[in-house]
Amino acid sequence: MLHALDGKTLLHQEASLASDAQLRRVHPQTYIDTLEAAIPASGGAAIDGDTWLSPGSMRAARRGVGGAIRGVDMVMEGAARNAFVATRPPGHHAESAQAMGFCLLGSIAAAAKHALDHHGLSRVAIVDFDVHHGNGTQDLVQGDARIAYLSSHQMPLFPGTGHPSETGIAGNVLNIALPAGTGSAGFRAAMTDSLLPAADAFAPELVLISAGFDAHAADPLANIALNEGDFAWITERLCDLADTHCAGRIVSCLEGGYDLHALAASAAAHVDVLIARGA
Ligand SMILES: [Zn+2]
């Protein structure tokens, strides 16, 4: 489901199914074919201990990519100022030819490449505040200086990547490692001191967000102690960034979040800001 926000009006749209051609911007065809061939007729098939396929998995994953791309199209064409793509599975752990961490396809990286190739943009920023490092997104974009990948994440934690020394082909990757126990003040300071100035210096023509809400204090998979107010705060700051550089254009894609009550409240806080700032 895609929620495009035009002024105060929330437009609900069905996420499109991404085509093979759209997926090939970030994955080789052999990988796509291998995933399709591994889809079970019934029940589940394990890729690894975390990552499973069901009969509907590839359609769901294609909708994740297709929703992100459709969000980019709507925002670039002026049909909405911003959009929130509420799809699962998430995508930021999927590498070029390796599914992992619940993720099959690199949704937000594919959306960034689409914005560059289809809409002719020169600079797209991806801000990832999921509590896990987006090793997949980094793998897919670190060699493309037109994309800035800016991530804050708990470290050490799955997947083990995301050290600040990983900076991309042209300094276009910024990794901010947060120690376990980081709360609101530490998160906001890291954003204010490092991530937001780097994003501002990049001057993006479109802002994409990997919106994972598993840095919430209630989340069972990590040990960062954010609350709904922190997610509203970073959303406000990213709206400021987008207002400064790109007429407010934001496409936010759901990533992680595993305490369902915290996920719902945090996503609502995030979307409330997008609605208010989309006016
Ligand atoms: Zn996560």
Side-chain angles (χ1 to χ4, degrees):
M1 183 65 71
L2 169 69
H3 306 277
L5 310 171
D6 178 18
K8 300 295 183 186
T9 306
L10 185 58
L11 307 169
H12 295 270
Q13 305 272 319
E14 186 167 280
S16 313
L17 284 167
S19 67
D20 281 8
Q22 290 171 326
L23 299 182
R24 283 198 301 270
R25 289 200 177 101
V26 289
H27 299 292
Q29 186 66 45
T30 50
Y31 172 71
I32 301 164
D33 293 343
T34 299
L35 276 181
E36 290 283 10
I39 293 294
S42 63
I47 293 175
D48 61 36
D50 293 329
T51 312
W52 287 68
L53 299 171
S54 74
S57 289
M58 271 305 273
R59 285 183 64 82
R62 283 181 186 268
R63 285 199 193 282
V65 180
I69 287 173
R70 186 161 179 191
V72 169
D73 288 341
M74 292 185 73
V75 167
M76 290 308 304
E77 291 161 6
R81 270 170 70 85
N82 59 47
F84 180 65
V85 185
T87 54
R88 284 277 171 85
H92 75 152
H93 293 306
E95 298 186 345
S96 174
Q98 182 64 56
M100 61 183 280
F102 315 144
C103 300
L104 304 177
L105 301 172
S107 311
I108 204 154
K113 297 275 189 179
H114 174 79
L116 296 167
D117 295 349
H118 183 75
H119 293 284
L121 298 187
S122 301
R123 294 180 309 283
V124 176
I126 301 173
V127 175
D128 185 336
F129 57 70
D130 188 282
V131 80
H132 302 97
H133 179 241
N135 60 294
T137 304
Q138 179 171 299
D139 178 56
L140 298 174
V141 310
Q142 64 186 348
D144 189 338
R146 301 172 300 171
I147 303 174
Y149 177 62
L150 313 164
S151 176
S152 66
H153 43 271
Q154 183 180 330
M155 195 167 198
L157 189 68
F158 178 90
T161 52
H163 190 275
S165 64
E166 300 166 22
T167 57
I169 191 173
N172 56 315
V173 170
L174 175 67
N175 284 305
I176 297 173
L178 303 173
T182 298
S184 299
F187 173 77
R188 293 186 188 204
M191 290 291 166
T192 301
D193 296 345
S194 298
L195 190 144
L196 292 167
D200 187 56
F202 186 70
E205 298 167 312
L206 173 68
V207 175
L208 305 181
I209 303 175
S210 266
F213 299 101
D214 41 11
H216 193 285
D219 197 276
L221 295 193
N223 302 98
I224 301 295
L226 303 190
N227 57 49
E228 294 90 313
D230 296 312
F231 292 115
W233 177 86
I234 187 56
T235 308
E236 291 276 11
R237 299 291 76 75
L238 295 174
C239 287
D240 293 343
L241 172 74
D243 283 351
T244 298
H245 295 288
C246 51
R249 291 194 292 262
I250 292 178
V251 178
S252 175
C253 299
L254 180 65
E255 298 282 0
Y258 304 100
D259 178 278
L260 294 184
H261 294 290
L263 170 61
S266 300
H270 176 64
V271 171
D272 280 349
V273 173
L274 292 178
I275 292 172
R277 297 292 295 265

